[in-house]
Each structure stands twice: as structure tokens, then as C-alpha cells.
Amino acid sequence: MASYDRYPVTSDRTRWDRVGSQACRSIIKRVSATSFEDDLDDVIRGPAPGDARDSLVYWRERLERLPRRRRTARREARAMVVSWEQRVRTAEIERWGGGVLGRVAGTFAVLRTVPVRSLAQRAVGLVPRRLLVGTIAVVVGSALLFGVLIGAVLAALL
């Protein structure tokens, strides 16, 4: 017996095919609606804190690697660094809440991605140059004076 004889195409068979395809369509609609809602939730909620930190690190490293002559690429990298810093803060605030703890966590999350050398350069950049030079002069002068005094005391005792 041939296979086409075993399953003759009748009106019942086409009805079941139609019902099966409708069921498949409804499942596909439900799955695609759910995945669309998940994607929409991700867009509204923003990236996870870890993903945001990774992206921020990437854009910072890209900014450091780019040569000075590539102004447009550097401008884009700077803009992306600012954008991802904001996203990291937002992700941490969402994670820890909108209060003081969330804001502190957001600030520390951004600072954690900055290399120590850059933090030192930022800190020195915040201090006025004259104050920095004056402080260094006072420290060096005090050390010299202390060394002279110790030398005089040791010379008197020996």
C-alpha cells in the first residue's frame, strides 16, 4: 500500500492541518510577544551593572588607544565614556535604590573602572598648580631643615 493511500487527503485532514497551523501561529505569536516584551523591558530597564561596567571599560581603553590625530573617533569615544558612566550610575541606582546608598554605589562603580593612574591625574588636576608647587616647596624645605637640625644635634653629641 502506497503512503498516499494510507493518509488520504480529505476535508477532515485539511481541517486538522488548518487547526495545527493556527496553533503553531498562536504559539509563535506568544513567544515573539514575550521576547519582544523582554527586549522592551531590557531597553527600558537598561543594561545590567556588570555589562555596563564592561562597556565603560571598553570605551575608556579605546579612548586611550586611539591616536591624537583621530579626532572624530576620540570625540565619539569620549561621548560614549560619558554615556556609559551615566548608564553605570543608573544601573547601580536601580540595583541599590534611589537613596544615598544607590548614589554612592553608582559613584564607586564608575570610579572602580578608572585606572589608578587616571585617578591620580584627576586628583592632581583638581588642585590648583600654585597650591601644589607651594606645598611641595614647604615639604622639601621642611625636610632639608629637619636634616640640618639632625646633623647639628649629632655633631654636638659626637
Side-chain angles (χ1 to χ4, degrees), residues 8 17 73-74 76 95 106-107 110 119 127 129 132 138 146 150 152:
D17 285 344
R74 289 181 63 81
E76 177 201 16
R95 180 178 173 196
T107 301
V110 169
L119 281 177
V127 178
R129 191 82 62 198
L132 189 63
V138 168
F146 185 72
I150 292 290

Side-chain angles (χ1 to χ4, degrees), residues 8-63:
V9 177
T10 63
S11 60
D12 289 341
R13 180 77 177 154
T14 55
R15 187 175 63 82
W16 283 110
D17 285 344
R18 231 182 345 209
V19 170
S21 65
Q22 286 174 350
C24 287
R25 274 192 232 120
S26 68
I27 289 171
I28 290 171
K29 283 181 183 176
R30 267 186 269 140
V31 168
S32 63
T34 305
S35 65
F36 175 74
E37 289 170 1
D38 291 343
D39 292 343
L40 189 60
D41 287 343
D42 288 343
V43 168
I44 291 171
R45 204 172 340 116
D51 294 340
R53 275 192 300 272
D54 291 343
S55 295
L56 177 58
V57 167
Y58 166 77
W59 283 105
R60 280 211 175 114
E61 288 175 356
R62 177 165 167 74
L63 180 61

Side-chain angles (χ1 to χ4, degrees), residues 20-156:
S21 65
Q22 286 174 350
C24 287
R25 274 192 232 120
S26 68
I27 289 171
I28 290 171
K29 283 181 183 176
R30 267 186 269 140
V31 168
S32 63
T34 305
S35 65
F36 175 74
E37 289 170 1
D38 291 343
D39 292 343
L40 189 60
D41 287 343
D42 288 343
V43 168
I44 291 171
R45 204 172 340 116
D51 294 340
R53 275 192 300 272
D54 291 343
S55 295
L56 177 58
V57 167
Y58 166 77
W59 283 105
R60 280 211 175 114
E61 288 175 356
R62 177 165 167 74
L63 180 61
E64 288 178 11
R65 283 191 318 259
L66 284 170
R68 299 278 179 212
R69 68 179 183 275
R70 297 201 47 204
R71 292 185 204 162
T72 306
R74 289 181 63 81
R75 189 178 309 126
E76 177 201 16
R78 272 193 299 274
M80 292 303 290
V81 164
V82 169
S83 172
W84 279 105
E85 281 180 353
Q86 183 61 36
R87 289 178 187 171
V88 167
R89 281 191 189 97
T90 304
E92 290 295 334
I93 287 171
E94 182 179 311
R95 180 178 173 196
W96 293 98
V100 175
L101 181 62
R103 299 206 181 278
V104 169
T107 301
F108 280 123
V110 169
L111 289 177
R112 221 173 31 189
T113 63
V114 179
V116 176
R117 187 183 90 241
S118 296
L119 281 177
Q121 287 174 348
R122 279 187 186 183
V124 169
L126 292 175
V127 178
R129 191 82 62 198
R130 288 183 181 175
L131 180 63
L132 189 63
V133 170
T135 303
I136 290 173
V138 168
V139 168
V140 169
S142 298
L144 287 174
L145 182 62
F146 185 72
V148 169
L149 287 175
I150 292 290
V153 168
L154 286 176

